[in-house]
Amino acid sequence: MRTGSIFPAAAGLLAGSTSATRFFVTSYAGTITTLDLVEGKLETVTSTTACGAKPSWLDLDYSNSLIYCLDEAWDEPTGAITSFSIDKNGSLTDLESASLVGGPVSIAEFGADNKGLAIASYAGSGVNVVSRTLEGGVELVQNETYTLEQPGPIPDRQDVPHPHEAILDPTAKFILVPDLGADLVRVFQADAETLELTPIAPLEVPPASGPRHGAFKAVGNKTYFWVVTELSNVVLGYEVSYKADNTLGFTELFSISTHGDDSTLPETAAGGEIALSPDGKFLLVSSRLEDSLTIPNFDPSNSTEIVSDPMITFSIDDATGSLKKVQEFPAGGRVPRHFSISADGTQVAVGLQADGRVVIIGRDVQTGKLTDFIASADVPGEVNAVIFYEDNHAKRGKKCTRKY
């Protein structure tokens, strides 16, 4: 195992911030928590338990002051989606709920005016489609479940299909769903008006990969798709072709370690999240269950170092889709299950499942490197998602005013 501290200096552990930023955080303790970052301090504003017992994912409709929460509902036959209105002070009021295939863990917006939500259900081996309204109404309009003829190469993790994320492609015509249990990325044609998802030929990944999450980039006449795998802890790179019969083709470009080099990783290492930077120049990946780094404690009165998993940043070659490692940086603790990047690219919010902590990390937009820990906050339970309260659609050049 690689162990070491690569944090630059304890003195910069909590760098100051002059602007206020709001975040929403889910935890398996059953809460959605609102946090405010003000002058370098991350403070709890309010919390609600109205999402259900095991909140797992958040989707923000900024223009209508709405947020949608998934309840993974462990060991239950069904999960749920609940809509909330967002008050000016950050408090949430629950509006409507709809039942889903059990174990929902990810949402992708799609359809005309983003009125549709494609939802991957891990435990229930399924995919759901929910129609939403301007007022926060939610209605299940489609669900599909899948089976395996026999368990996969890692039977204790691949006993059944496990859809782990829903992803909208750059043309907004296809939904892709990495399926950890089936070693597939399921592909669907997405009807923008009816919201119907029609399955087409999937992307088959190497056996025992366990595809978890993915990210797209369209540049010029090329489209690239990268998949981070949980079981083999690699990043798979593909070039995507759009065919005349309205299907997708995938040409494998490479398979590299989540660290982008030949370093030896612990057997427990598991790929986590993957995301494209807002300017499209960098790809960020988290790796979990390594315990490979240490950083100074966020509490200046506590001399005990914090064990951390890594965040890895890659630059992207637009001509080939290849990745070059730029940096490895501590995630701020253990098991960075999820992270999100601010629309201007200057901050990364990381949810640390094993530590019950949210960490905000500064980021240099020009170099792509993470720079310092801006703030941290403890959140009860296993933190599994953290998002910025900002209009990502508008700031990324995709102004989205809901009309549905």
Side-chain angles (χ1 to χ4, degrees):
M1 179 187 297
R2 301 167 308 107
T3 303
S5 175
I6 62 172
F7 186 70
L13 192 57
L14 292 175
S17 174
T18 58
S19 60
T21 307
R22 178 160 289 171
F23 305 86
F24 296 105
V25 182
T26 52
S27 162
Y28 284 139
T31 58
I32 310 174
T33 300
T34 305
L35 300 175
D36 274 0
L37 174 62
V38 183
E39 296 182 352
K41 294 183 179 180
L42 197 56
E43 300 177 347
T44 299
V45 176
T46 185
S47 184
T48 178
T49 58
C51 180
K54 300 296 179 184
S56 61
W57 190 268
L58 295 169
D59 182 76
L60 176 66
D61 179 352
Y62 183 89
S63 62
N64 289 305
S65 298
L66 297 170
I67 199 166
Y68 297 83
C69 179
L70 297 180
D71 177 15
E72 194 172 348
W74 292 353
D75 301 322
E76 298 294 334
T78 60
I81 183 171
T82 300
S83 60
F84 295 82
S85 61
I86 306 171
D87 191 80
K88 291 182 179 179
N89 68 358
S91 62
L92 304 178
T93 301
D94 55 303
L95 300 174
E96 291 192 23
S97 296
S99 294
L100 305 171
V101 174
V105 291
S106 170
I107 295 173
E109 300 176 0
F110 78 104
D113 300 312
N114 287 336
K115 66 181 178 182
L117 302 175
I119 300 169
S121 285
Y122 180 87
S125 304
V127 174
N128 315 261
V129 178
V130 167
S131 175
R132 61 180 177 179
T133 70
L134 284 169
E135 296 76 25
V138 288
E139 179 185 5
L140 179 66
V141 295
Q142 182 182 355
N143 61 15
E144 305 287 343
T145 56
Y146 309 99
T147 59
L148 293 177
E149 293 184 359
Q150 60 184 20
I154 305 179
D156 62 328
R157 298 297 313 279
Q158 298 184 304
D159 53 334
V160 296
H162 285 306
H164 212 300
E165 186 182 31
I167 309 161
L168 183 66
D169 87 303
T171 70
K173 295 180 179 180
F174 298 90
I175 291 288
L176 280 73
V177 178
D179 188 328
L180 184 150
D183 280 329
L184 297 173
V185 177
R186 300 183 185 275
V187 184
F188 303 85
Q189 297 167 346
D191 190 301
E193 297 302 328
T194 67
L195 304 182
E196 181 179 6
L197 297 184
T198 302
I200 56 177
L203 165 62
E204 297 183 7
V205 302
S209 293
R212 180 180 173 90
H213 285 193
F216 275 101
K217 180 179 181 180
V219 53
N221 61 354
K222 293 187 176 184
T223 299
Y224 300 114
F225 181 57
W226 300 280
V227 180
V228 64
T229 68
E230 178 169 334
L231 303 182
S232 60
N233 207 43
V234 303
V235 177
L236 301 168
Y238 299 89
E239 183 171 352
V240 183
S241 58
Y242 290 85
K243 299 183 177 182
D245 61 355
N246 200 27
T247 61
L248 298 183
F250 298 89
T251 301
E252 184 173 340
L253 302 175
F254 61 82
S255 174
I256 60 172
S257 159
T258 51
H259 288 258
D261 53 33
D262 296 328
S263 57
T264 301
L265 305 181
E267 293 184 2
T268 54
E273 186 59 278
I274 184 170
L276 187 69
S277 63
D279 60 9
K281 295 180 179 180
F282 300 93
L283 199 67
L284 280 72
V285 175
S286 66
S287 183
R288 302 166 298 153
L289 301 173
E290 292 194 22
D291 293 351
S292 55
L293 304 170
T294 58
I295 59 174
N297 203 291
F298 292 108
D299 179 356
S301 66
N302 189 339
S303 61
T304 303
E305 290 188 321
I306 292 174
V307 175
S308 178
D309 289 321
M311 301 275 292
I312 304 95
T313 298
F314 298 91
S315 60
I316 300 169
D317 185 329
D318 286 348
T320 65
S322 62
L323 305 177
K324 181 180 180 181
K325 184 177 180 178
V326 172
Q327 180 197 42
E328 180 177 328
F329 193 89
R334 297 175 300 147
V335 190
R337 178 185 175 100
H338 180 260
F339 64 85
S340 57
I341 309 171
S342 63
D344 66 4
T346 62
Q347 294 180 358
V348 178
V350 185
L352 297 155
Q353 184 176 359
D355 288 349
R357 180 183 306 124
V358 171
V359 172
I360 312 303
I361 305 175
R363 179 175 176 274
D364 186 311
V365 177
Q366 299 302 316
T367 66
K369 291 183 177 182
L370 305 183
T371 56
D372 57 356
F373 291 105
I374 296 172
S376 74
D378 293 334
V379 176
E382 298 176 72
V383 173
N384 49 47
V386 52
I387 63 172
F388 289 81
Y389 183 37
E390 60 183 8
D391 191 353
N392 283 337
H393 298 92
K395 292 184 179 180
R396 299 183 191 213
K398 299 178 181 179
K399 182 61 178 178
C400 184
T401 302
R402 309 285 189 244
K403 301 177 181 178
Y404 44 86

